[in-house]
Amino acid sequence: MKKVWLLGLILTLLIGVLAVGQVKTLYWNLGTEPPSLDPNTATDTTSIQVLQALFVGLTDFDDATMAVVPELAMHWEASEDGLTWTFYLRDDVYWTDGTPVTAQQVEYSVKRTLNPATGSSYAFVLWMIDGAEAYNTGEVESADGVGVKALGDYRVRFTLNQSAGYFPAIAGMWVCRPLPITVVEEYGDAWTNAENIVTNGAYKLGEWVHEDHMILYKSETFYDADKTNIHVVYCYMIEEASTAMTMYEAGDLDADENPPLEDMDRIKADPVLSAELHTAPDLCTYYYGFNNEKAPFDNPLVRKAFASAIDRQSLIDYILKGGQKPAQTFVCPGIFGYIDGVAEGIGYPYDPEVAKQFLADAGYPNGEGFPEVTLMHNTSEGHSKIAQFIGQSFMDTLNVTVNIVNQEWKVYLATCREDAPQIYRMGWCADYPDANNWVNEVFNSESGSNYANYNSPDFDALVEQAARESDPAVRLDLYRQAETLMCDTDAGIVPIYFYTMVKLTKPYVVRTYAALGGEHWEQWDILPH
Amino acid sequence: MFEFVVRRLLWLIPVIFVVSIITFVLMHSIPGGPFDAEKALPQAIIDNLNAKYHLDDPLWKQYVDYMWGFVRFDLGPSIAYRSRTVNDILAQQWPVTAMLGLASFAIAVFGGIPLGIISAVKQNSLADYTSMGISMLGLSIPNMALGPLLIWVFALNLKWFPVATWGSPIHVVLPAITLGTAYMASFARLTRASMLQVVREDYIQTARAKGVRHTTVMLKHALRNALIPVSTIAGPSFAGIMTGSMIVERIFAIPGIGKYYVTSVGNRDYPVIMATTLVFAIAVVLMNMLVDVSYGILDPRIRYN
């Protein structure tokens, strides 16, 4: 009897070990609690990382090429005039409750995003859809006029009010992802709670202990489940970068997406850590804006003088240390419409003599009679270091007095919106990889993010024409002209550097790097270790 | 005593009223709103969001609506965490903070008071210098240095404890020491100082003259009275420790309420700012009431009317 009991125990243990051996678990740090798992209302990178795993989009991005690739939609076509887009959906995609994913759910999601009562911050990216703006802004009560229509179960048609060559990228965004209609209707805002949520992506939500962890399990109903290698993604929510770094070094995390700046020198010097370090371009640009309406920065010569007085390479080498790239134009590499300003001579490289000459031409030889300048940034140690460096550079080169001021983030945003200081710090990151998301959406004279009050009818005409144009070569040239106008001729802003992402990953993790956010865990693997 | 407690509880009503009015006015007078972001939203979108959270109502109505919800224990939705209500956040995060707080407070009380007693009883001895040295260290090392130091020694090198995160009793040890040390140190110094003051009182001299043993005099006669200043400090300290420490919770990745005190202001998450502030105010009032009750127990000369 005793032997049987012992044999049973050994067998159980053996099966247990074998079973555990087959389960591949990725230990990940989300960095914080995801604020929303509702694709219609999420706006932040943390939520979008989880949404990417839980919900499929009509389209997706290829991490290597950043091209738009099929996902839920197998293929799509646009009408001659570029106003009507039809997406053909796969018929083998299922929700975790076993029901099929259909075109009606795409239509429902788009209309729910646009419903004013939903309160979706990103609804405006869909305003290019016919009737969307009128419905979203409450001009019309009914969603019937919105140009999205399910044609049967597996075909959905969008009608746009302007031709937009980048629409397939928009159609893949989370605000368009199909939703489980009955679940959303039944539970309201609580439909994303772990006990209610129904998903259709490569992973499903197993457990969500707020502020602590989230466990995602491989979804067996996912159409490509055979190719999903990692069975469990265990997501921590560690906010403190040094704690995450310590856990990575202790082996509790398989990747650290945000190693602390102060550890960079140590990481680079350490033979093990430096081999696990990956540096790649990130789709963001750091820039200083001039308030083009505020004297003396209403004079382009003054703006050019300040733009020429920034030593970007020294800033990167001695302050930032992350291998960033100097920027003389606004759109960053990796985005369609990127122009290499440094190579093409667009914008202003560091040149103290040229800077002094510009200031003299503006009527302030050697800075004489130049009023005190306010350079403002939002409160943060990193921004402060950059501002000290650049402010000092202005003072040394141009012989002017620069007052560096910082404000708490939302106070700062309100200041910039209402009456931006003479020089202000800001950054921009891609929502979709097209220059329209940059030059047009940020610096069109109508844009709410145009704190520089940059107002050039020629520039507006160029970026609006580029948005409508479909020929890539023509579009690229239009963006070249627009960048030249904004960053060179008018010097409305001064781009400083293109971001890099610095990540640590254990050698046994086979991974991709998603420049646009939303890592594709379903394409990763974990090797025996 | 019952009458005293009821009277103090009734005081909560004006306190909540005043604190809520001040908080409400302050949070609405700082520039920037919950929907300001680096990517500026079109006004129409902001209008939709304001309508959804009733931020387009007149301020007085927003206040009245909030307080009407408050008395019915409905603290409203969180603006920053879309699927969660403030009730959810308090219910899920506060118990974690409370557990950490209790453990830290236990360290503070059961470590600090004995250290203080030893110092006082053996004044100017090696034991006194040692325990006061420890206290001085505990007071001077900030949490943000002590936490990583403990992690480095006991988690990374000795591997006795997990680096961070939450979930089992062993996860409580390092953060509780980090949070409790400063309180322990101040309790120790306070106990020592007030013990030394009390021993000069006439009734202690009388006890000694009657031939009572030194230890008995110290523990039975002196300590009780000496604990009055300690409990004065302990009350508000307990309120503070129970409502969370942003720094310790962050360093150890603990899912507590502490971070909401800070991030809700940054996010302009108005319902969360109101709730966390009012919870803190109520905790302070209740703890001070307990302190006053404890005076009567510690010193029989104190009466409540």
Side-chain angles (χ1 to χ4, degrees):
Chain A
M1 189 63 202
K2 201 177 174 186
K3 269 185 185 164
V4 175
W5 180 83
L6 203 66
L7 198 69
L9 185 75
I10 289 171
L11 265 177
T12 317
L13 277 175
L14 203 65
I15 292 167
V17 167
L18 280 174
V20 168
Q22 286 166 353
V23 173
K24 293 179 176 175
T25 303
L26 175 72
Y27 290 94
W28 184 259
N29 180 23
L30 283 175
T32 188
E33 157 94 4
S36 174
L37 288 193
D38 185 332
N40 291 162
T41 58
T43 55
D44 62 288
T45 50
T46 308
S47 302
I48 287 159
Q49 173 61 67
V50 181
L51 291 182
Q52 179 66 31
L54 297 181
F55 297 95
V56 293
L58 284 171
T59 61
D60 197 5
F61 293 111
D62 182 297
D63 284 334
T65 63
M66 258 178 282
V68 177
V69 292
E71 194 177 18
L72 176 60
M74 293 177 291
H75 55 96
W76 51 87
E77 63 197 21
S79 61
E80 280 286 298
D81 57 6
L83 292 178
T84 309
W85 290 78
T86 311
F87 291 79
Y88 297 84
L89 274 54
R90 304 178 65 106
D91 60 2
D92 58 348
V93 185
Y94 293 92
W95 295 97
T96 43
D97 64 4
T99 55
V101 174
T102 63
Q104 287 85 359
Q105 293 157 352
V106 178
E107 179 184 335
Y108 174 82
S109 174
V110 170
K111 288 181 175 171
R112 181 169 174 269
T113 295
L114 292 168
N115 185 341
T118 306
S120 168
S121 304
Y122 259 68
F124 69 92
V125 303
L126 301 179
W127 285 2
M128 66 176 66
I129 297 173
D130 209 26
E133 185 171 355
Y135 176 52
N136 188 220
T137 55
E139 254 177 66
V140 294
E141 296 253 320
S142 162
D144 295 343
V146 178
V148 56
K149 182 96 190 104
L151 309 170
D153 283 349
Y154 300 108
R155 208 150 49 104
V156 61
R157 176 174 293 163
F158 292 88
T159 319
L160 311 185
N161 51 33
Q162 63 179 65
S163 164
Y166 53 89
F167 185 69
I170 300 282
M173 281 177 78
W174 46 97
V175 283
C176 294
R177 299 203 174 172
L179 296 183
I181 302 175
T182 49
V183 181
V184 177
E185 294 291 321
E186 184 176 350
Y187 297 105
D189 276 352
W191 80 271
T192 54
N193 291 354
E195 62 274 21
N196 305 333
I197 197 167
V198 170
T199 59
N200 59 15
Y203 289 89
K204 60 185 178 188
L205 181 58
E207 188 175 281
W208 185 3
V209 178
H210 292 286
E211 298 287 346
D212 193 52
H213 69 268
M214 183 180 259
I215 305 177
L216 304 179
Y217 295 109
K218 174 180 169 175
S219 167
E220 296 303 334
T221 54
F222 182 56
Y223 68 90
D224 229 3
D226 293 349
K227 292 189 192 143
T228 309
N229 297 311
I230 296 176
H231 301 87
V232 181
V233 182
Y234 191 102
C235 301
Y236 289 105
M237 302 172 187
I238 303 152
E239 298 195 348
E240 179 60 37
S242 59
T243 302
M245 180 71 199
T246 310
M247 285 184 66
Y248 177 80
E249 290 187 74
D252 298 335
L253 283 174
D254 291 327
D256 185 357
E257 298 288 285
N258 186 25
L261 242 186
E262 55 271 23
D263 281 331
M264 281 318 294
D265 290 334
R266 180 173 70 89
I267 293 169
K268 285 177 185 166
D270 185 296
V272 177
L273 290 174
S274 61
E276 296 168 1
L277 184 69
H278 175 86
T279 307
D282 201 356
L283 301 182
C284 299
T285 302
Y286 193 97
Y287 67 94
Y288 273 8
F290 301 118
N291 186 339
N292 286 225
E293 287 179 353
K294 207 170 238 183
F297 288 86
D298 51 352
N299 181 348
L301 288 168
V302 170
R303 301 198 294 263
K304 289 175 188 178
F306 278 74
S308 307
I310 300 173
D311 186 356
R312 297 175 179 84
Q313 197 57 54
S314 299
L315 175 76
I316 291 163
D317 292 344
Y318 303 119
I319 310 286
L320 302 168
K321 298 181 184 174
Q324 291 84 351
K325 294 272 169 285
Q328 287 176 205
T329 44
F330 183 49
V331 179
C332 74
I335 301 290
F336 178 84
Y338 161 66
I339 307 295
D340 189 345
V342 175
E344 296 190 22
I346 301 170
Y348 296 92
Y350 176 57
D351 192 331
E353 292 313 311
V354 170
K356 283 177 189 146
Q357 190 56 48
F358 275 131
L359 201 63
D361 293 348
Y364 306 99
N366 195 28
E368 280 163 29
F370 200 83
E372 290 192 5
V373 177
T374 302
L375 191 173
M376 204 185 282
H377 62 88
N378 54 304
T379 311
S380 124
E381 206 182 325
H383 298 322
S384 169
K385 282 182 188 165
I386 295 169
Q388 301 288 345
F389 180 89
I390 294 178
Q392 193 61 45
S393 182
F394 288 154
M395 292 198 267
D396 295 346
T397 313
L398 302 171
N399 194 28
V400 296
T401 308
V402 178
N403 298 316
I404 298 172
V405 182
N406 69 80
Q407 289 184 341
E408 186 267 350
W409 178 227
K410 297 227 170 185
V411 177
Y412 178 70
L413 285 171
T415 304
C416 287
R417 192 177 58 232
E418 280 151 27
D419 181 27
Q422 289 154 316
I423 307 176
Y424 65 92
R425 172 218 86 88
M426 207 54 78
W428 188 260
C429 294
D431 296 308
Y432 54 93
D434 191 280
N436 185 66
N437 181 224
W438 295 67
V439 282
N440 189 14
E441 288 182 16
V442 187
F443 288 112
N444 187 309
S445 58
E446 300 287 315
S447 162
S449 296
N450 185 356
Y451 308 122
N453 299 313
Y454 177 61
N455 189 346
S456 158
D458 291 344
F459 176 83
D460 287 356
L462 283 168
V463 293
E464 280 162 21
Q465 193 191 338
R468 287 192 303 269
E469 181 61 50
S470 53
D471 181 349
V474 177
R475 295 189 74 216
L476 191 63
D477 191 57
L478 289 168
Y479 286 127
R480 177 176 286 108
Q481 292 179 46
E483 290 269 23
T484 308
L485 208 51
M486 179 169 72
C487 299
D488 197 314
T489 317
D490 295 333
I493 63 159
V494 51
I496 297 174
Y497 64 86
F498 300 125
Y499 285 52
T500 44
M501 52 180 171
V502 180
K503 299 180 174 193
L504 286 165
T505 313
K506 295 288 182 190
Y508 51 79
V509 178
V510 181
R511 68 170 291 180
T512 53
Y513 293 92
L516 278 161
E519 297 289 355
H520 291 98
W521 292 322
E522 72 277 9
Q523 298 171 11
W524 296 16
D525 199 359
I526 292 179
L527 305 175
H529 58 278
Chain B
M1 174 120 125
F2 175 73
E3 199 187 316
F4 168 79
V5 170
V6 171
R7 215 165 51 224
R8 291 296 291 265
L9 285 178
L10 285 176
W11 263 106
L12 263 177
I13 296 168
V15 167
I16 288 174
F17 178 72
V18 171
V19 169
S20 65
I21 281 272
I22 293 175
T23 311
F24 191 85
V25 169
L26 277 180
M27 76 186 186
H28 279 284
S29 48
I30 39 177
F35 312 116
D36 281 323
E38 187 144 15
K39 307 202 165 182
L41 298 173
Q43 192 54 45
I45 298 278
I46 293 182
D47 292 345
N48 285 344
L49 287 159
N50 281 335
K52 182 178 169 83
Y53 293 102
H54 305 290
L55 297 175
D56 51 354
D57 286 343
L59 277 183
W60 66 265
K61 185 170 187 308
Q62 290 183 42
Y63 176 77
V64 171
D65 286 349
Y66 181 83
M67 291 314 286
W68 175 233
F70 184 82
V71 297
R72 290 174 298 134
F73 299 104
D74 173 7
L75 303 175
S78 161
I79 300 175
Y81 297 89
R82 297 287 295 252
S83 63
R84 303 178 77 194
T85 64
V86 179
N87 291 51
D88 288 341
I89 291 177
L90 285 180
Q92 288 153 357
Q93 266 51 77
W94 190 73
V96 174
T97 290
M99 184 185 279
L100 173 63
L102 280 176
S104 310
F105 200 71
I107 291 174
V109 170
F110 298 112
I113 294 175
L115 271 183
I117 296 171
I118 293 168
S119 288
V121 173
K122 312 258 181 202
Q123 197 193 355
N124 296 332
S125 70
L126 184 65
D128 182 20
Y129 296 142
T130 314
S131 60
M132 282 307 105
I134 294 172
S135 305
M136 206 61 216
L137 260 176
L139 270 179
S140 7
I141 304 180
N143 287 340
M144 64 193 90
L146 183 59
L149 184 74
L150 292 178
I151 292 177
W152 188 73
V153 175
F154 296 103
L156 209 55
N157 287 312
L158 295 174
K159 300 194 192 306
W160 292 354
F161 300 99
V163 172
T165 72
W166 196 245
S168 72
I170 202 161
H171 285 92
V172 185
V173 179
L174 293 184
I177 294 173
T178 308
L179 184 57
T181 301
Y183 292 101
M184 178 183 88
S186 69
F187 288 179
R189 297 183 65 80
L190 204 59
T191 307
R192 177 180 184 271
S194 57
M195 281 281 278
L196 291 177
Q197 198 176 11
V198 170
V199 293
R200 293 194 184 91
E201 298 259 341
D202 289 344
Y203 73 94
I204 298 292
Q205 303 298 331
T206 314
R208 285 214 172 115
K210 288 200 308 194
V212 182
R213 279 176 53 222
H214 179 64
T215 325
T216 318
V217 172
M218 282 302 198
L219 293 182
K220 203 168 163 202
H221 299 268
L223 180 63
R224 256 174 76 167
N225 248 311
L227 282 180
I228 286 185
V230 178
S231 76
T232 309
I233 297 297
S237 300
F238 189 65
I241 222 167
M242 290 299 282
T243 44
S245 154
M246 161 91 176
I247 294 167
V248 173
E249 288 179 5
R250 193 182 156 98
I251 291 173
F252 290 95
I254 293 168
I257 196 76
K259 91 164 198 185
Y260 286 88
Y261 279 88
V262 182
T263 56
S264 63
V265 180
N267 291 333
R268 307 289 190 273
D269 196 344
Y270 298 132
V272 179
I273 299 177
M274 288 297 283
T276 48
T277 312
L278 287 175
V279 163
F280 184 65
I282 293 169
V284 170
V285 171
L286 291 181
M287 283 309 135
N288 277 329
M289 185 186 79
L290 276 184
V291 168
D292 289 347
V293 170
S294 77
Y295 288 164
I297 298 163
L298 294 170
D299 188 341
R301 289 171 298 188
I302 292 172
R303 295 282 176 273
Y304 291 109
N305 32 21

